[in-house]
Amino acid sequence: MSKTQKLIAMEDRFGAHNYHPLDIVIKKAEGVWVEDVEGNRFMDFLAAYSAVNQGHCHPRLLKVMKRQAAKVCLTSRAFRNDQLPYFCQEICELTGFAKVLPMNSGAEAVETAIKAARKWGEKVKGIAKDQAEIIVCADNFHGRTTTIVGFSTEDQYKDGFGPFTPGFKVIPYGDLKALEKAITPSTAAFLVEPIQGESGIKVPPAGFLAQAHELCRKHNALLICDEIQSGLGRTGKLFAFEHEGIVPDAVIVGKALSGGFYPVSAFLSSEEVMGVFHPGDHGSTFGGNPLGMAVAREALRVLSDEKLVENSAKLGPWFMEKLGEIESKSIQLIRGKGLWVGMVLDRPARPYCEALMHEGMLCKETHETVIRLAPPLTITKKELNMALTRIKKVFKKLDG
Ligand SMILES: *Cc1c(COP(=O)(O)O)cnc(C)c1O
């Protein structure tokens, strides 16, 4: 039995089967590249769902992580630590939001946004107690807690996990008329991904977000953008909402916020919205811990210093154009923004992802028929060219 087979059997025997990963067992990684236990090398075109935008094991992050781990890792928020204040100041200055609330996983930051929106609805907007509504979109992905899967439209995410939290209304993604119709005096917020990642890199019609912003303003509801996957450079801007020339009332970040070293997420908003939280209202044992804060501060600095947002803006359109030149009868559509591309096929994408793996390139199908390409933003044109050669080869072979 190979080392790979042995480890897969062990995981299958003792671990819960809540994932269906490609059968590659990674042992180490650096930048765009990962290596499996057999010593094979692959280009990583998933980048841990955009959590490693800065590339795997970034040396600067490693250094800060080691240094901070040797000093102090966790104080809990019962006491203060010397990293949290700097993180708060730096992320607010970078993003332009007035206030930040750090959490750990993305789902926790989404929960924070939901709590903030509801409480703002009751205490500031004046919605009757327990009546606040939040509008969300079909095919959304905001995480896996029971509240969040409760407003998912993906049957599998919900099956068996009910009963669910009330107070959510679902509209079709990109449908302004439906949004306007769904808004009532009890609407606290519209929670939306500027581009839907898990749903297959779905880009809404141009102007959707800007007009949704306008509608929210008109009806005194908050526009909350979930930029956990789309944010921090993935689309060629720091935030995807910038493509629409707006600033939402709040934004949720995670994933690349720590460059993959440590789970750090955050909810960012105004003084008014964040002002609804008082001591004891909300919290997290690990949220805002010094280790996470030190790593996140460095992860944001790497993003700026290495001009990763600019690299995504520069190479993304070129890469998408090159993908568009691939002759294949199975490709229906290529869509995306920056270094975030969905290749929509007329057939299941999994065999293509498996074939790409055998060519030394890792990516993961999403929603059956979409190949998602999202390499670390540190990738070079030369490496993208290598990837294009591999992709072409696979399409030639499998289309046949
Ligand atoms: C990944 C993701 C989440 C959930 O983040 P976790 O860290 O897995 O909890 C939420 N929203 C979006 C848009 C995501 O891509």
Side-chain angles (χ1 to χ4, degrees), residues 323-324 326-334 342-353 356 368-371 391-400:
L323 288 168
I326 295 176
E327 282 183 34
S328 159
K329 57 180 190 235
S330 62
I331 303 173
Q332 287 197 315
L333 180 69
I334 305 229
M343 300 179 79
V344 186
L345 309 187
D346 65 357
R347 59 196 76 183
R350 176 99 184 182
Y352 289 81
C353 292
L356 282 166
E368 294 285 321
T369 58
V370 184
I371 305 176
I391 295 168
K392 274 180 206 157
K393 193 167 159 194
V394 161
F395 272 93
K396 201 164 191 177
K397 202 155 87 190
L398 265 71
D399 275 359

Side-chain angles (χ1 to χ4, degrees), residues 126-143:
I127 298 170
K129 185 174 163 53
D130 296 340
Q131 295 305 306
E133 289 171 351
I134 295 174
I135 301 170
V136 298
C137 293
D139 300 326
N140 68 70
F141 184 83
H142 297 290

Side-chain angles (χ1 to χ4, degrees), residues 236-264:
K237 300 263 189 199
L238 185 63
F239 290 118
F241 62 67
E242 294 172 38
H243 292 288
E244 293 265 307
I246 59 141
V247 180
D249 299 287
V251 67
I252 308 161
V253 288
K255 295 201 167 116
L257 183 52
S258 57
F261 272 72
Y262 196 90
V264 181

Side-chain angles (χ1 to χ4, degrees), residues 19 48-50 104-110 140-145 148 192-198 225-230 252-255 263-265 340 372:
Y19 277 95
Y49 301 93
S50 294
N104 312 285
S105 69
E108 285 175 309
V110 172
N140 68 70
F141 184 83
H142 297 290
R144 299 290 202 160
T145 66
I148 294 170
V192 63
E193 298 156 86
I195 292 176
Q196 287 186 329
E198 292 316 293
C225 290
D226 180 346
E227 296 247 16
I228 291 170
Q229 197 166 155
S230 58
I252 308 161
V253 288
K255 295 201 167 116
V264 181
S265 64
W340 205 24
R372 163 180 22 203

Side-chain angles (χ1 to χ4, degrees), residues 3-24:
K3 186 132 198 210
T4 297
Q5 285 169 323
K6 186 181 147 216
L7 290 168
I8 290 173
M10 199 189 295
E11 184 180 318
D12 280 352
R13 163 86 173 77
F14 294 104
H17 293 186
N18 58 327
Y19 277 95
H20 179 39
L22 291 178
D23 282 339
I24 165 189

Side-chain angles (χ1 to χ4, degrees), residues 377-393:
L377 305 182
T378 52
I379 200 164
T380 61
K381 198 166 184 173
K382 193 169 149 220
E383 287 166 327
L384 284 173
N385 263 318
M386 285 176 74
L388 282 164
T389 307
R390 295 170 188 201
I391 295 168
K392 274 180 206 157
K393 193 167 159 194

